[in-house]
Amino acid sequence: MTSINGNQMQVRSERQVINLPFSRDSDWKTFLPKKLKVLKKGYLEIHCQDWVLNCRDLLYLKNFFENAGITITTIRSYISETIVSASALGFETDLILEKFTKSSSSLTKESANKNHPTGLSFHQGTLRSGEHLEVEGDVLLLGDVNPGAQISAAGNVMVWGRILGIAHAGKSGKTSAKISALQLRPVQLRIANKVARGPEEKPEEGLAEEALIVADKIVINPLKPCFQKT
Amino acid sequence: MAKETRIILICSGKGGVGKTTLTANLGIALARQGVPTAVLDADFGLRNLDLLLGLENRIVYTAQEVLEENCRLDQALVKHKQEPNLALLPAGNPRMLDWLKPDDMKRIVSMLSELFEYVLIDCPAGVEDGFKNAVAAAKEAIVVTNPEISAVRDADRVIGLLNTQGIKPVQLVLNRVRPKMMATQEMLSVEDVTDILALPLLGLVLEDEQVIVSTNRGEPLTLSSSNSPAARCYSNVAQRLQGDDIPIIDPSKEGSGMRDKLKRLMQTKIF
Ligand SMILES: Nc1ncnc2c1ncn2[C@@H]1O[C@H](COP(=O)(O)OP(=O)(O)OP(=O)(O)O)[C@@H](O)[C@H]1O
Ligand SMILES: [Mg+2]
């Protein structure tokens, strides 16, 4: 359930990529048979654009291509729901954080991306065991990160809930990244390449906390007063 | 059928937590309330729902023959001897797994919906093909777990999958609760479990030796008017499923009173 990094990309360089049409352009299901003609047997990466796909849809995709001898390895999408479903099914996933609106053309999408190299992506709902939410900018989760679940971001990780699983901020090396949550009781925290095991003792209830790197070590502090309950 | 049939998946992720036992007891309890109920063994690999219900020797046809149109549904359904409101649709043989698809499961269940008010699907452990087939036809689910970290973790994973499949409602049954161990914090508490899983609690089932005795006899506890702790719990779950507002037992008060202790002593003597 890891996302692709540079190395894996090279190993699987023979993998093919297709983009589903944007939802305003045409339906993805009717689009598939046309695409099948140009694909070879082997591995496939699918960019699902702005489609909100659930497990059932993704299984449909999986079966559809498997019947043609094609194995889906990676699901990319702008939509975090799609990514969560995909990672629940065990695909490699990649949530793309380019700013886009339903009416924008791909051109403005690219320019928006240049202006906002890192955005804030927002996800609502608890991450359950086995789920992995991974984003390229900052991430704000409204919900818990349960034991066995993981959340990671190139930027900051903010959780309006409890972190009981694994959180990784600054996953591409940004050491100034922070992890904050209403309750920090993680199995493991990572910031950039630093790893810390979670605290043994229960933190006080109702005290939001923040983890960051200070002098080469991950430390946990109470979150700044403006966030704190009075 | 005038009322919409409730199609309930009974699943857990981890194996051996008590899915089949719950399916059998719930099936009998609902049937005893006069509700036409079917139990479907979706555990094609390791079927044993028929054993628990004491129906093994009555099976002639299975879901497989129905799907292949080698027999009619009513020929494959095995009626329970004492509770004619309950019928079992046995699984096919293990080879069936190779060709059974979610659509086949949907076909079977929609046939059952014509005849029954409840269809309980006993799901295999795991989250692989067996689970995916079983979940395809279900509308709602009961997740069974034990007060153990590994069982809770697997339950959480399954709940995540159920959510992405649009199964609603998903309710929780916590099985094999030992009040004493909970009191001494040797076992996860009810709150520990519901805190992580964040599901409505449909019921607790106490750890009870009678469960094992009844399993070996092929007579689910809810079949007799046994007043063993687990029997009461299973009937309560059935009643709550029907919408009755029955309070959930408080493990900290369970079995501490003199009467309860006596009752338990007597019961262990009887067998
Ligand atoms: N409340 C209980 N008290 C004591 N024993 C129990 C209780 N519930 C279940 N058991 C025992 O646990 C064992 C496993 O139960 P069961 O077969 O119902 O689990 P399962 O979840 O269906 O397993 P599988 O995943 O293998 O299908 C059985 O031996 C059963 O008797
Ligand atoms: Mg079983």
Side-chain angles (χ1 to χ4, degrees):
Chain A
M1 217 151 298
T2 51
S3 87
I4 33 161
N5 58 35
N7 287 337
Q8 280 168 310
M9 277 283 239
Q10 273 176 347
V11 175
R12 292 221 192 125
S13 54
E14 72 277 15
R15 123 165 66 171
Q16 320 168 72
V17 182
I18 60 164
N19 296 333
L20 297 185
F22 273 93
S23 58
R24 63 171 188 281
D25 294 335
S26 79
D27 183 55
W28 61 270
K29 270 193 188 167
T30 50
F31 159 90
L32 291 179
K34 283 180 254 162
K35 242 348 197 203
L36 201 55
K37 295 188 193 109
V38 301
L39 289 172
K40 299 191 292 280
K41 284 191 169 47
Y43 296 106
L44 179 67
E45 212 173 282
I46 301 183
H47 190 334
C48 301
Q49 311 284 14
D50 60 341
W51 287 97
V52 180
L53 301 180
N54 60 24
C55 282
R56 212 168 277 206
D57 299 326
L58 290 166
L59 282 176
Y60 178 93
L61 279 172
K62 180 170 181 252
N63 291 334
F64 181 86
F65 284 110
E66 244 162 37
N67 289 339
I70 299 167
T71 309
I72 301 175
T73 56
T74 308
I75 296 288
R76 291 174 192 281
S77 173
Y78 295 115
I79 306 297
S80 55
E81 282 89 338
T82 303
I83 292 298
V84 171
S85 304
S87 54
L89 290 173
F91 294 113
E92 288 177 356
T93 52
D94 192 4
L95 180 62
I96 298 169
L97 271 162
E98 287 164 304
K99 288 263 159 58
F100 82 99
T101 56
K102 289 226 157 114
S103 59
S104 71
S105 71
S106 59
L107 201 92
T108 57
K109 204 178 70 209
E110 270 166 26
S111 58
N113 184 34
K114 265 182 207 140
N115 296 338
H116 305 275
T118 56
L120 172 69
S121 92
F122 173 79
H123 181 83
Q124 188 159 17
T126 290
L127 299 183
R128 293 192 180 265
S129 175
E131 292 176 342
H132 183 179
L133 177 64
E134 188 165 23
V135 307
E136 292 308 323
D138 295 334
V139 62
L140 172 60
L141 177 77
L142 270 190
D144 296 340
V145 179
N146 271 1
Q150 189 172 344
I151 186 167
S152 48
N156 300 314
V157 172
M158 291 163 279
V159 175
W160 194 258
R162 303 173 296 178
I163 299 184
L164 309 173
I166 298 177
H168 190 178
K171 69 180 166 82
S172 352
K174 188 177 167 206
T175 51
S176 60
K178 293 174 185 170
I179 299 170
S180 47
L182 294 185
Q183 205 185 85
L184 265 179
R185 246 162 72 199
V187 170
Q188 194 186 79
L189 288 179
R190 295 183 214 153
I191 298 176
N193 58 359
K194 295 273 180 286
V195 181
R197 268 176 296 130
E200 294 287 312
E201 73 280 9
K202 279 190 182 184
E204 283 175 60
E205 295 279 336
L207 203 66
E209 291 177 304
E210 174 178 75
L212 68 168
I213 297 186
V214 176
D216 247 21
K217 265 167 84 183
I218 296 180
V219 298
I220 297 179
N221 293 326
L223 203 57
K224 298 205 183 67
C226 62
F227 263 69
Q228 240 171 41
K229 277 191 202 163
T230 47
Chain B
M1 198 113 305
K3 255 204 255 167
E4 187 159 350
T5 304
R6 290 182 67 179
I7 302 162
I8 307 177
L9 181 71
I10 297 178
C11 57
S12 68
K14 189 170 152 72
V17 300
K19 295 177 292 296
T20 306
T21 315
L22 177 69
T23 310
N25 278 288
L26 214 50
I28 295 277
L30 287 168
R32 284 186 67 155
Q33 291 176 30
V35 189
T37 302
V39 289
L40 172 59
D41 192 347
D43 200 344
F44 297 98
L46 304 157
R47 59 188 229 196
N48 49 24
L49 187 55
D50 48 347
L51 276 181
L52 261 68
L53 287 165
L55 296 175
E56 189 191 16
N57 55 10
R58 299 187 168 214
I59 294 177
V60 182
Y61 298 108
T62 65
Q64 183 169 12
E65 278 90 24
V66 179
L67 277 171
E68 288 168 343
E69 294 179 8
N70 290 334
C71 77
R72 297 185 315 271
L73 177 63
D74 59 281
Q75 291 176 299
L77 284 170
V78 186
K79 245 192 202 147
H80 194 270
K81 331 165 241 211
Q82 287 117 297
E83 285 303 333
N85 278 326
L86 181 75
L88 164 78
L89 183 59
N93 65 53
R95 276 186 309 133
M96 194 170 168
L97 265 183
D98 301 338
W99 61 268
L100 187 97
K101 291 267 145 45
D103 278 340
D104 300 319
M105 201 68 186
K106 282 187 204 159
R107 263 176 62 207
I108 296 185
V109 169
S110 85
M111 284 191 253
L112 289 172
S113 310
E114 306 271 312
L115 305 172
F116 297 94
E117 279 181 37
Y118 277 80
V119 177
L120 307 179
I121 307 173
D122 182 19
C123 183
V127 292
E128 288 78 37
D129 288 348
F131 171 78
K132 284 172 193 155
N133 285 333
V135 84
K139 286 188 201 146
E140 46 185 303
I142 297 175
V143 175
V144 187
T145 193
N146 297 155
E148 285 170 40
I149 290 200
S150 60
V152 172
R153 185 75 63 96
D154 291 353
D156 195 41
R157 172 115 179 81
V158 162
I159 297 162
L161 295 175
L162 292 172
N163 286 345
T164 56
Q165 307 268 318
I167 305 281
K168 242 189 248 174
V170 179
Q171 303 183 83
L172 184 68
V173 168
L174 186 55
N175 187 25
R176 309 198 76 154
V177 170
R178 297 176 191 225
K180 257 201 199 143
M181 287 181 75
M182 276 191 179
T184 55
Q185 295 185 345
E186 288 170 295
M187 189 175 245
L188 294 180
S189 72
V190 180
E191 290 73 35
D192 288 338
V193 177
T194 51
D195 184 48
I196 295 283
L197 299 182
L199 289 186
L201 190 59
L202 185 63
L204 305 178
V205 181
L206 296 167
E207 172 82 25
D208 183 351
E209 287 172 5
Q210 295 305 317
V211 171
I212 297 159
V213 176
S214 75
T215 300
N216 292 337
R217 288 188 176 169
E219 292 173 5
L221 282 177
T222 44
L223 193 58
S224 61
S225 10
S226 151
N227 204 21
S228 88
R232 274 183 289 136
C233 296
Y234 284 125
S235 329
N236 286 354
V237 169
Q239 278 174 284
R240 267 181 230 118
L241 206 55
Q242 289 269 68
D244 294 350
D245 186 17
I246 306 213
I248 290 182
I249 52 162
D250 179 353
S252 67
K253 296 205 180 82
E254 203 54 36
S256 53
M258 205 53 192
R259 251 188 77 212
D260 278 348
K261 269 189 189 151
L262 261 177
K263 208 155 61 185
R264 256 192 300 188
L265 259 176
M266 307 244 305
Q267 257 163 359
T268 32
K269 286 251 174 68
I270 289 168
F271 293 105

